[in-house]
Amino acid sequence: MTSNTVFLYDTTLRDGTQGEGFQLSVLDKLRIAERLDAFGIHTIEGGWPGSNPKDVAFFREAKNLPLQHARLAAFGSTRRAGVAVKDDAQVRMLLESETPVVTIFGKSWQMQVTEVLRTTVEENRAMIGDTVAYLVGHGREVVYDAEHFFDGYKDNAQHALATLEAAAQAGASWLVLCDTNGGTLPSEIMHICKAVRDRLPATPLGIHTHNDCELAVANAIAAIKAGATQIQGTINGYGERTGNCNLTSVIPILQLKMGLPVVPHLEQLRDLSYFVDDVSNNPHYARAPFVGCSAFAHKGGMHVNAVRKLARSYEHLEPASVGNEQNILVSELSGQANILSKAEQLGLPLAKGSPEAAAILKRVKQLESDGYSFEAADGSLELLIRRELGDHQKPFDLTEYHTSFRQYRDGHPPVCEATVKLVVGGTPELTVAEGRGVIHALDRALRKALMPFYPEIADVSLVDYKVRIIDGHDATAAKTRVLIVSTDGRTRWGTVGVSENIIEASWLALVDGIDLFLQRSISQESDP
Ligand SMILES: [Zn+2]
């Protein structure tokens, strides 16, 4: 480790999910973990196995994730007071998560020890030391999160420092100073981090800040200036109360303003931000620094005129460096770069500056203005690119479909039914199916109709379905966006549909989900 390296520790999947309105299923967490890994995050905190069964399930599944870059961390607390560490069920679950990194938090603030834990300061230090040593003894890299560190230090610095010493002596690899309540100022952060640095020079320091004073990013940067080398935060700043340190802001500041390279592909930052919003079913925050759609928007006539002549007159950095774009002069080149890199990922031939690339970009922009979002719908984007490149065989022609919902008076459970009529290679097919809901019935009827022609679609199943109402420019025409995730048991792909009608939007996403699978099977068959 060199002195100019900063390690990124993402806690979107743990601290992020403690934020209001930010819920993730196990599948969502797996998708986000893969994406964080591809982006170049160093450590991904996946959850707190001792606090909920969902996180236990996540760690079970996460063992099979093909992570290239990141290491997974399980989060938990020190052993309980008066209990031997080997008998503590919560600590045992941390080991059972089988992650290379384990992060535990302990109390640094004397008041929390005596008033909340109701134990002695000596027992508190033993709880920290025992737990760290036990986990290190089991081959784990241990990150020690010092909860309420700054408040604790201001209250009783000797006590706070002694808790860090207990963790360091027991073999913790990192001492992470937490501004748990988010009330500390950057000047205090810098002063206290330096004091800790001087007292415990041998163990690297990290910083974990919350945004209660809108200072989480500034506080993290202050800690780096004072010698910390790890930042804990979340994508888009999701987290408890007003949120955590926003990695989406911290990363470009480190890389572009401080000359500390932390990720290989900063130009994928905006896409990552949108992906996490889409997967968690949250709206994009337009005024988000760096990644928001207003971050490089120019409205005032004089500004527009100036940026046309010289972008840097009203822009602090090149929007494309973070994957964003200037909002008036839609930069065809930066837009094309995104499409080209996606085509390359998919192994589809697309040349820079080609008429196809321009046509695809135009189509993407038009669909996005109609309410589409492709960040979590890689499958629909692949289909769009294939169609423009002429690398698409239409699997069927739709004649009509029909859905119904019947509620009975006598307590009989309601019935959803769908009819699908389509033509495959000149052969008409008509099927009817029932389902738990209208979309379920429609999905079943569509598969039933296609099965005689494409038996391989039996492998495809729908694993996630999300609905979002997009604010229309006029309230009468609000649109629905449906995101679907399908799998064939080996890979997963997302597809999207948008319509003023939820059934139509769902149909579009369902059809794309199956269509993509068929196109990929066709190209595999035709490969030499
Ligand atoms: Zn926190």
Side-chain angles (χ1 to χ4, degrees):
M1 185 179 59
T2 59
S3 61
N4 61 354
T5 306
V6 174
F7 289 85
L8 300 173
Y9 182 108
D10 181 280
T11 180
T12 307
L13 305 182
R14 202 275 304 170
D15 225 352
T17 60
Q18 285 172 230
E20 204 178 339
F22 190 79
Q23 278 101 24
L24 299 173
S25 66
V26 172
L27 173 68
D28 296 336
K29 287 182 144 209
L30 293 166
R31 293 182 80 202
I32 291 175
E34 278 182 292
R35 192 73 182 241
L36 292 170
D37 173 58
F39 182 66
I41 296 292
H42 305 103
T43 310
I44 300 170
E45 189 175 88
W48 186 347
S51 79
N52 66 79
K54 194 201 276 180
D55 288 358
V56 174
F58 167 80
F59 285 112
R60 200 167 47 230
E61 298 283 323
K63 285 171 201 162
N64 304 320
L65 282 180
L67 301 183
Q68 302 296 317
H69 186 93
R71 297 194 306 151
L72 280 177
F75 177 88
S77 73
T78 61
R79 69 163 171 83
R80 282 176 296 139
V83 175
V85 63
K86 65 175 175 45
D87 299 330
D88 190 300
Q90 189 265 148
V91 175
R92 193 172 61 241
M93 289 172 100
L94 289 171
L95 287 179
E96 284 167 0
S97 300
E98 292 180 31
T99 53
V101 181
V102 172
T103 300
I104 54 156
F105 74 93
K107 302 284 182 197
S108 318
W109 193 356
Q110 194 172 349
M111 179 199 86
Q112 291 269 344
V113 176
T114 51
E115 306 295 316
V116 181
L117 280 184
R118 309 234 161 149
T119 188
T120 63
V121 291
E122 291 76 21
E123 172 65 358
N124 179 54
R125 285 202 291 268
M127 286 155 65
I128 297 168
D130 288 355
T131 315
V132 171
Y134 182 74
L135 294 167
V136 170
H138 282 80
R140 302 303 193 272
E141 176 183 316
V142 177
V143 175
Y144 176 68
D145 274 11
E147 196 191 28
H148 295 295
F149 185 79
F150 296 94
D151 295 312
Y153 185 95
K154 286 191 268 182
D155 191 43
N156 181 341
Q158 288 318 312
H159 173 265
L161 287 165
T163 62
L164 291 184
E165 261 160 7
Q169 280 163 10
S173 296
W174 291 94
L175 301 173
V176 179
L177 312 183
C178 303
D179 186 24
T180 308
N181 294 358
T184 311
L185 301 180
S187 52
E188 298 172 305
I189 297 269
M190 198 176 262
H191 164 74
I192 295 171
C193 285
K194 276 186 180 149
V196 173
R197 183 72 296 159
D198 292 344
R199 175 79 169 258
L200 291 153
T203 312
L205 291 188
I207 182 78
H208 177 116
T209 54
H210 278 266
N211 205 31
D212 299 75
C213 295
E214 189 113 312
L215 289 169
V217 168
N219 282 342
I221 297 297
I224 295 298
K225 290 271 187 196
T229 46
Q230 181 193 106
I231 294 185
Q232 298 193 347
T234 63
I235 301 302
N236 299 333
Y238 287 115
E240 222 164 335
R241 307 186 306 276
T242 56
N244 281 60
C245 171
N246 186 352
L247 289 181
T248 323
S249 295
V250 154
I251 293 170
I253 292 173
L254 291 171
Q255 195 141 330
L256 301 175
K257 309 278 176 179
M258 295 169 73
L260 296 168
V262 281
V263 292
H265 294 292
L266 186 62
E267 73 284 358
Q268 291 169 11
L269 184 72
R270 194 204 65 154
D271 285 1
L272 174 67
S273 161
Y274 276 43
F275 177 80
V276 172
D277 285 338
D278 283 353
V279 169
S280 65
N281 218 355
N282 275 287
H284 308 311
Y285 177 45
R287 290 191 296 116
F290 303 99
V291 294
C293 60
S294 302
F296 301 96
H298 304 284
K299 198 171 172 188
M302 197 185 74
H303 288 199
V304 171
N305 190 19
V307 292
R308 269 180 204 278
K309 288 181 195 142
L310 184 64
R312 130 176 104 75
S313 59
Y314 286 95
E315 285 174 0
H316 68 113
L317 52 82
E318 168 68 42
S321 61
V322 288
N324 210 338
E325 55 197 17
Q326 207 180 61
N327 219 348
I328 32 143
L329 307 158
V330 173
S331 153
E332 288 291 320
L333 279 178
S334 73
Q336 256 194 37
N338 282 341
I339 301 291
L340 291 170
S341 81
K342 276 181 183 136
E344 198 188 311
Q345 277 168 21
L346 300 169
L348 298 170
L350 190 61
K352 192 174 178 180
S354 64
E356 292 84 3
I360 291 166
L361 182 64
K362 194 174 159 202
R363 182 87 187 117
V364 167
K365 291 213 177 287
Q366 187 212 322
L367 287 169
E368 281 181 345
S369 78
D370 290 345
Y372 275 77
S373 172
F374 291 101
E375 294 318 325
D378 51 332
S380 290
L381 183 61
E382 180 177 337
L383 282 172
L384 189 155
I385 296 174
R386 281 179 183 274
R387 285 189 195 110
E388 288 293 338
L389 293 177
D391 184 13
H392 179 262
Q393 295 178 25
K394 207 172 175 194
F396 65 87
D397 287 299
L398 175 70
T399 312
E400 62 178 67
Y401 65 83
H402 168 88
T403 60
S404 67
F405 172 76
R406 250 169 282 155
Q407 178 70 270
Y408 298 85
R409 214 187 253 183
D410 63 355
H412 181 286
V415 171
C416 292
E417 193 182 280
T419 309
V420 169
K421 206 169 164 183
L422 44 78
V423 181
V424 185
T427 311
E429 190 72 27
L430 169 71
T431 53
V432 182
E434 286 184 347
R436 289 187 301 276
V438 172
I439 308 309
H440 185 224
L442 197 57
D443 182 43
R444 293 180 70 179
L446 173 65
R447 283 156 190 281
K448 210 166 143 188
L450 292 174
M451 205 71 93
F453 307 94
Y454 309 107
E456 63 271 33
I457 64 169
D459 294 341
V460 182
S461 58
L462 202 155
V463 283
D464 196 23
Y465 173 82
K466 282 195 176 79
V467 177
R468 159 157 221 101
I469 308 298
I470 325 162
D471 300 332
H473 287 296
D474 61 295
T476 52
K479 284 185 178 171
T480 304
R481 176 162 70 218
V482 169
L483 278 169
I484 281 176
V485 181
S486 307
T487 182
D488 57 2
R490 283 169 292 130
T491 57
R492 285 189 290 262
W493 56 95
T495 51
V496 59
V498 171
S499 168
E500 283 165 24
N501 181 301
I502 184 172
I503 294 172
E504 169 77 2
S506 306
W507 169 263
L508 293 170
L510 281 174
V511 168
D512 267 12
I514 290 178
D515 191 354
L516 181 86
F517 173 78
L518 292 172
Q519 301 308 320
R520 285 185 179 169
S521 336
I522 293 166
S523 21
Q524 269 167 9
E525 278 163 23
S526 59
D527 275 351

